[in-house]
């Protein structure tokens, strides 16, 4: 991981916030939080990297050790991040975990409104999973899954072999995807809107 490239994620020209750029700013904030988490993960690896490279003989590795591991500025940056970002927050590529990490990255107690939005988000997320469990039982679909991606949010994925006859009318936006059927429902859509609202409200910058 190139820390200098990670630091470049924070190089941007501030833009005055208006209604026209609000959505763009929200996306920029999400990317900024993600970059902070990525930077934290990289800085957390420096002590181990320092231990490994300390006795290196290669000119290249010695240069890495001196320019990166012995750079006191990185320790200062890590300390500052630790004042706001939780210790257990790590970079991940799994969409839902990454999105949740962004929302829960800032320590509890830093922002009261953020803490309240988190509680509401947890409640709506629980409601979505309870709905999935209800559908598994009501429609005898034990293999119904509840994936998440950043574009669609939560949706249902059902193996075609698990569907006996026609899919119940409860399901909408039905799309065939390989050996699975991707779909939603009015109940899921309504709860998902609330969940998405709180996700956006939990952007702390």
């Amino acid at each position: 991981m190139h820390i200098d490239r990670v630091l470049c994620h924070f190089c941007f020209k501030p833009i005055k916030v208006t209604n026209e750029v609000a959505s763009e700013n929200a996306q920029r904030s999400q990317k900024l939080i993600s970059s902070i988490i990525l930077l934290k993960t990289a800085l957390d690896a420096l002590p181990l990297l320092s231990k490994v490279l300390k006795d290196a003989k290669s000119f290249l590795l010695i240069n890495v050790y001196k320019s990166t591991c012995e750079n006191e500025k990185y320790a200062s940056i890590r300390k500052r991040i630790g004042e706001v970002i939780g210790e257990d927050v790590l970079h991940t590529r799994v969409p839902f975990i990454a999105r949740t990490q962004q929302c829960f990255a800032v320590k509890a107690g830093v922002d009261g409104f953020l803490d309240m939005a988190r509680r509401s988000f947890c409640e709506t997320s629980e409601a979505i999973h309870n709905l999935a469990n209800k559908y598994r039982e009501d429609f005898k679909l034990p293999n119904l899954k509840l994936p998440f991606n950043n574009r669609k949010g939560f949706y249902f994925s059902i193996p075609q072999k698990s569907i006996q006859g026609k899919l119940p009318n409860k399901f909408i936006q039905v799309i065939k995807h390989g050996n699975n059927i991707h779909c939603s429902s009015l109940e899921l859509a309504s709860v998902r809107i609330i969940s998405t609202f709180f996700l956006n409200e939990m952007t702390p910058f």
Side-chain angles (χ1 to χ4, degrees), residues 139 141 160 162-171 174 181:
F139 302 114
L141 296 170
Q160 290 191 55
S162 298
I163 302 173
Q164 302 298 325
K166 186 178 179 181
L167 195 66
N169 293 332
K170 175 76 71 172
F171 296 100
V174 179
I181 295 295

Side-chain angles (χ1 to χ4, degrees), residues 36-50:
I36 292 173
I37 294 174
L38 180 60
L39 176 60
K40 175 185 175 297
T41 303
L43 295 177
D44 284 345
L46 285 185
L48 179 59
L49 181 63
S50 178

Side-chain angles (χ1 to χ4, degrees), residues 6-194:
V6 176
L7 292 173
C8 286
H9 292 182
F10 302 97
C11 300
F12 58 87
K13 182 179 179 181
I15 300 177
K16 183 178 180 181
V17 177
T18 64
N19 291 334
E20 288 74 13
V21 299
S23 177
E24 181 182 345
N25 284 344
Q27 294 179 356
R28 183 179 293 111
S29 294
Q30 292 175 12
K31 290 181 180 179
L32 180 59
I33 297 169
S34 179
S35 296
I36 292 173
I37 294 174
L38 180 60
L39 176 60
K40 175 185 175 297
T41 303
L43 295 177
D44 284 345
L46 285 185
L48 179 59
L49 181 63
S50 178
K51 184 178 180 180
V52 172
L53 297 181
K54 187 175 182 179
D55 299 321
K57 305 300 181 182
S58 165
F59 173 78
L60 177 61
L61 296 180
I62 291 174
N63 187 47
V64 171
Y65 177 77
K66 291 182 177 180
S67 63
T68 302
C69 299
E70 290 189 334
N71 192 328
E72 296 180 356
K73 292 182 179 180
Y74 288 144
S76 177
I77 293 173
R78 177 62 184 87
K79 181 180 179 182
R80 182 68 184 92
I81 291 175
E83 293 174 1
V84 179
I85 304 298
E87 288 299 320
D88 58 343
V89 176
L90 297 172
H91 174 68
T92 177
R93 294 181 181 275
V94 181
F96 180 66
I97 297 177
R99 191 70 179 92
T100 304
Q101 285 270 44
Q102 293 174 11
C103 298
F104 289 86
V106 176
K107 292 180 177 179
V110 173
D111 186 311
F113 181 79
L114 180 60
D115 292 340
M116 182 178 66
R118 284 170 173 166
R119 287 193 295 271
S120 299
F121 170 72
C122 289
E123 291 172 358
T124 55
S125 293
E126 183 179 2
I128 289 174
H129 283 85
N130 288 340
L131 180 64
N133 287 331
K134 182 176 182 297
Y135 285 176
R136 292 186 186 105
E137 295 179 4
D138 292 352
F139 302 114
K140 294 180 174 54
L141 296 170
N143 295 320
L144 180 148
K145 296 181 179 179
L146 188 65
F148 174 93
N149 66 38
N150 291 324
R151 184 175 62 85
K152 296 193 297 185
F154 285 107
Y155 61 95
F156 298 126
S157 177
I158 309 170
Q160 290 191 55
K161 62 182 181 181
S162 298
I163 302 173
Q164 302 298 325
K166 186 178 179 181
L167 195 66
N169 293 332
K170 175 76 71 172
F171 296 100
I172 60 175
Q173 300 173 344
V174 179
I175 300 174
K176 182 179 178 182
H177 190 272
N179 294 323
N180 298 307
I181 295 295
H182 290 180
C183 55
S184 182
S185 73
L186 292 178
E187 291 172 298
L188 176 61
S190 62
V191 182
R192 189 172 58 199
I193 290 173
I194 300 173

